[in-house]
């Protein structure tokens, strides 16, 4: 094969935004990824550098493609839940919850969901939120050279994985929250075991503050790095810890007040620039760590309700409100959103009359939107800081390449 043909094939398979002809003196193009040692997941970054200083960053995606939207348009609403799990596979319960609430609103059965079902849904989603944040903070620590926090956080995440596996039989991809209800009630003894875990976890969160967030090396590597100003975050549509880390108290659990969140007492942490500048890498991880504490408060309140006013009874059926056939009336359009560990996950539905298969189903993934701001917060930084910045965004490629 001639060198010209080989070069053309290479350009087609891995296209670049910049060419060598456009580079100034001293600049070069560096590819980072798509492999884990360089980037999170199969993300490729085309980086234009001038020595150690970054001039431009271009994220290239599509190396992992879930085909979620095409799957969703070829099967019934309730059959799509396993595919929803595989978008943000680190927070599948949260993704299921948003999808099912959207379909329930289309069907007009939101008010028919039993309170016990609602509290169980919030319980498992908040457990999953903590597990997701533990992966985000733990792998971020490894990105910048701290190994012990990763081991500690993955150890504690394993306890959550075992609890969720006890609930539904799966460690990560659950298919537990169904349209209209749940696959099954909580196992007998789950509430007591969950309380034991919460009692165990709270002092571990204090240890996390000591070993990582207050660590001088961690602060030096993350404070005043990758600063995301609030106006830029809003203009790019960022959400979740990315937006709250820049100082805006905006959480859909409060703003949209869905499920039983209006009945629960919890705060919305924001970045305050305690270690550097508001909106830097440290603030984003600080917000995630504080959200774990707020999730603990929510879990405790759910357990109080599930062992009190909405305790288990022999006649409770978690599938009682699940429709046997999901026939939509008329053509409807709906956008429904919820707060996942990475921000605003939204689903746009367009239905056709008397069909249980959506004409169109689109996922608005927070990882995809948050990743788009990467070039803005990376220009002028050093190459070593780019690793810290990418890790602070906390993307899941299954959600980016949906």
């Amino acid at each position: 094969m001639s060198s010209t043909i080989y070069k053309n094939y290479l350009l087609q398979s891995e296209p670049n935004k910049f060419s060598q002809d456009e580079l100034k003196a001293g600049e070069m193009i560096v590819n980072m990824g798509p492999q884990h040692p360089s980037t999170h997941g199969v993300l490729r970054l085309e980086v234009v550098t001038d020595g150690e200083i970054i001039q431009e960053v271009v994220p290239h995606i599509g190396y992992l493609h879930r085909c979620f939207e095409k799957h969703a348009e070829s099967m019934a609403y309730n059959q799509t839940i396993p595919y929803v799990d595989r978008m943000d596979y680190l927070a599948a319960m949260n993704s299921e919850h948003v999808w099912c609430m959207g379909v329930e609103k289309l069907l007009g059965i939101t008010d028919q969901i039993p309170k016990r079902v609602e509290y169980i849904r919030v319980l498992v989603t908040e457990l999953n939120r903590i597990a997701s944040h533990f992966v985000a903070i733990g792998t971020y620590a490894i990105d910048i050279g701290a190994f012990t926090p990763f081991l500690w956080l993955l150890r504690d995440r394993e306890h959550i994985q075992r609890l969720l596996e006890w609930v539904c039989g799966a460690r990560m991809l659950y298919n537990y929250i169904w349209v209209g209800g749940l696959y099954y009630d909580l196992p007998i003894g789950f509430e007591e075991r969950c309380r034991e875990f919460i009692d165990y976890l709270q002092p571990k969160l204090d240890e996390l503050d000591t070993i990582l967030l207050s660590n001088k090396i961690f602060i030096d590597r993350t404070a005043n790095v990758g600063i995301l100003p609030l106006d830029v975050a809003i203009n790019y549509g960022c959400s979740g810890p990315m937006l709250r880390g820049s100082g805006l108290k905006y959480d859909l659990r409060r703003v949209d007040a869905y499920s039983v969140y209006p009945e629960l007492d919890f705060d919305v942490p924001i970045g305050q620039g305690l270690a550097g500048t508001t909106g830097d890498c440290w603030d984003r991880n600080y917000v995630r760590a504080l959200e774990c504490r707020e999730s603990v408060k929510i879990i405790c309140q759910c357990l109080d309700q599930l062992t009190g006013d909405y305790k288990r009874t022999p006649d409770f059926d978690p599938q009682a409100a699940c429709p046997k056939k999901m026939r939509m009336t008329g053509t409807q359009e709906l956008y429904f959103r919820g707060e996942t560990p990475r921000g605003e996950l939204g689903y746009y539905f367009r239905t056709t009359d008397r069909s249980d298969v959506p004409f169109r189903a689109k996922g608005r993934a927070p990882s995809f939107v948050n990743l788009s701001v990467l070039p803005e917060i990376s220009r002028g930084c050093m190459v070593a800081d780019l690793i810290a910045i990418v890790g602070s965004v906390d993307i899941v490629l299954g959600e980016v390449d949906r």
Side-chain angles (χ1 to χ4, degrees):
M1 183 182 294
S2 68
S3 60
T4 304
I5 296 176
Y6 179 80
K7 184 177 180 180
N8 290 335
Y9 280 142
L10 187 63
L11 290 174
Q12 291 173 20
S13 63
E14 293 195 351
N16 287 337
K17 180 179 179 181
F18 298 97
S19 67
Q20 296 180 3
D21 300 334
E22 299 172 320
L23 298 181
K24 300 175 184 176
E27 290 185 346
M28 62 180 175
I29 299 175
V30 178
N31 272 312
M32 300 177 64
Q35 71 273 2
H36 279 287
S38 197
T39 56
H40 284 224
V42 282
L43 169 69
R44 180 167 75 96
L45 298 178
E46 178 188 347
V47 186
V48 179
T49 67
D50 183 357
E52 285 288 316
I53 305 302
I54 295 170
Q55 302 299 313
E56 193 67 55
V57 179
V58 181
H60 289 269
I61 63 175
Y63 293 90
L64 168 72
H65 191 47
R66 291 294 186 193
C67 286
F68 164 75
E69 294 177 5
K70 212 61 193 168
H71 284 305
E73 292 164 15
S74 61
M75 56 188 60
Y77 296 92
N78 56 338
Q79 293 176 325
T80 309
I81 295 172
Y83 295 93
V84 174
D85 285 338
R86 285 157 175 80
M87 285 176 59
D88 183 354
Y89 42 78
L90 294 178
M93 287 291 190
N94 302 81
S95 304
E96 291 177 15
H97 194 197
V98 179
W99 174 269
C100 290
M101 286 190 297
V103 178
E104 287 160 5
K105 191 166 184 178
L106 282 171
L107 293 169
I109 61 172
T110 302
D111 297 334
Q112 301 175 24
I113 311 300
K115 279 287 187 178
R116 179 170 173 82
V117 168
E118 293 280 19
Y119 276 107
I120 292 175
R121 286 179 170 185
V122 172
L123 172 66
V124 295
T125 54
E126 293 305 319
L127 283 170
N128 211 177
R129 190 183 307 275
I130 296 175
S132 175
H133 282 336
F134 278 3
V135 173
I137 300 171
T139 55
Y140 188 64
I142 279 192
D143 286 342
I144 56 178
F147 196 70
T148 302
F150 171 76
L151 297 177
W152 287 12
L153 289 169
L154 266 288
R155 172 200 63 195
D156 295 336
R157 173 180 177 264
E158 188 64 25
H159 295 306
I160 299 177
Q161 298 297 89
R162 289 172 180 172
L163 284 171
L164 295 178
E165 185 178 8
W166 189 22
V167 168
C168 63
R171 279 176 51 82
M172 290 181 65
L173 307 171
Y174 304 108
N175 191 16
Y176 177 66
I177 299 176
W178 284 7
V179 176
L182 302 166
Y183 163 64
Y184 201 71
D185 196 1
L186 295 177
I188 295 174
F190 183 87
E191 295 91 334
E192 293 74 15
R193 186 77 63 84
C194 195
R195 283 192 190 277
E196 292 175 5
F197 168 70
I198 293 301
D199 293 339
Y200 159 85
L201 182 64
Q202 286 175 324
K204 302 301 180 185
L205 295 176
D206 296 331
E207 290 180 358
L208 175 63
D209 288 344
T210 303
I211 195 174
L212 190 65
L213 296 178
S214 303
N215 185 285
K216 185 180 186 306
I217 300 174
F218 183 80
I219 292 174
D220 289 345
R221 288 287 282 114
T222 57
N224 299 312
V225 173
I227 300 168
L228 175 61
L230 181 56
D231 59 333
V232 176
I234 293 172
N235 289 336
Y236 270 81
C238 295
S239 57
M242 285 286 288
L243 178 61
R244 292 190 288 275
S246 296
L248 183 63
K249 190 171 283 194
Y250 185 86
D251 189 311
L252 294 178
R253 294 173 292 177
R254 283 283 185 235
V255 174
D256 287 358
Y258 57 84
S259 190
V260 291
Y261 283 110
E263 304 169 24
L264 301 172
D265 177 34
F266 64 97
D267 297 323
V268 179
I270 59 172
Q272 303 171 56
L274 299 179
T277 305
T278 302
D280 58 16
C281 292
W282 190 90
D283 264 347
R284 290 192 277 277
N285 277 273
Y286 173 68
V287 166
R288 292 186 183 102
L290 290 183
E291 284 188 5
C292 292
R293 295 181 181 274
E294 298 307 315
S295 292
V296 166
K297 289 165 58 176
I298 294 173
I299 290 168
C300 290
Q301 294 172 71
C302 289
L303 291 173
D304 290 340
Q305 294 289 344
L306 292 171
T307 55
D309 294 341
Y310 305 106
K311 63 184 178 183
R312 71 176 72 246
T313 57
D315 60 338
F316 174 69
D317 180 7
Q319 299 181 20
C322 294
K324 299 299 182 285
K325 197 68 174 176
M326 298 179 190
R327 296 296 192 190
M328 300 295 173
T329 55
T331 300
Q332 303 180 59
E333 287 186 83
L334 172 71
Y335 176 75
F336 193 90
R337 61 185 186 173
E339 188 74 32
T340 71
R342 279 150 201 87
E344 178 185 330
L345 173 64
Y347 293 109
Y348 165 79
F349 302 92
R350 186 173 182 185
T351 71
T352 50
D353 191 26
R354 308 300 297 168
S355 174
D356 61 347
V357 177
F359 175 79
R360 181 77 172 95
K362 175 178 170 54
R364 188 269 187 203
S367 292
F368 179 84
V369 179
N370 292 342
L371 180 63
S372 67
V373 82
L374 182 65
E376 290 290 334
I377 61 179
S378 300
R379 293 190 192 99
C381 294
M382 299 187 72
V383 172
D385 289 334
L386 180 59
I387 304 298
I389 295 170
V390 172
S392 74
V393 178
D394 183 26
I395 57 171
V396 170
L397 263 295
E399 200 172 58
V400 174
D401 297 338
R402 67 202 180 286

